Amino acid sequence: LGREHTEERGNLVEEMTETEALWSGQQEELKQFKECDPVLMHRKKEEAGVAKDAANRWTDNVFIIQSWVRDKFNMDMDEFNKFFGIPAEFDSVWPYLTAEQALLVLFTTF
């Protein structure tokens, strides 16, 4: 009932197998170009911007706590940084870079 082995069905099955093999090969080739996908690049730029904003927000939170501790307990900033293991070069994440430039730095260093 519809699955009888006929010459036409055999030809169609063979054509389908060839088409599936071709499609599979093209999918493998497409994977090589995935890094250049404009939609993926746009998404990565947006994610980098969100990550940069979040890192800067946490950095600002540390500065707020430093200021509060300095005022409340009359503690020197160097002493605070040493006590909590904060490096001297601690600052906002790439405050001078755009999200695109930050992405470039991320992808070339890791």
Side-chain angles (χ1 to χ4, degrees), residues 62-80:
V62 170
F63 289 142
I64 290 168
I65 292 171
Q66 281 179 335
S67 177
W68 182 81
V69 168
R70 182 190 65 223
D71 296 343
K72 182 77 174 175
F73 299 106
N74 197 22
M75 181 183 273
D76 183 50
M77 297 312 304
D78 292 331
E79 184 181 348
F80 178 91

Side-chain angles (χ1 to χ4, degrees), residues 84-103:
F84 288 101
I86 299 173
E89 65 274 356
F90 183 74
D91 198 359
S92 296
V93 178
W94 303 310
Y96 50 88
L97 295 180
T98 65
E100 291 82 12
Q101 291 169 326
L103 257 179

Side-chain angles (χ1 to χ4, degrees), residues 22-41:
L22 177 64
W23 183 81
S24 178
Q26 289 174 341
Q27 291 299 314
E28 288 298 319
E29 186 179 344
L30 190 58
K31 285 181 185 178
Q32 296 173 1
F33 300 106
K34 188 171 184 165
E35 294 176 4
C36 300
D37 181 13
V39 174
L40 182 63
M41 290 301 295

Side-chain angles (χ1 to χ4, degrees), residues 43-54:
R43 189 178 310 137
K44 285 183 179 182
K45 285 180 184 179
E46 287 178 346
E47 290 172 357
V50 169
K52 178 182 169 185
D53 292 342

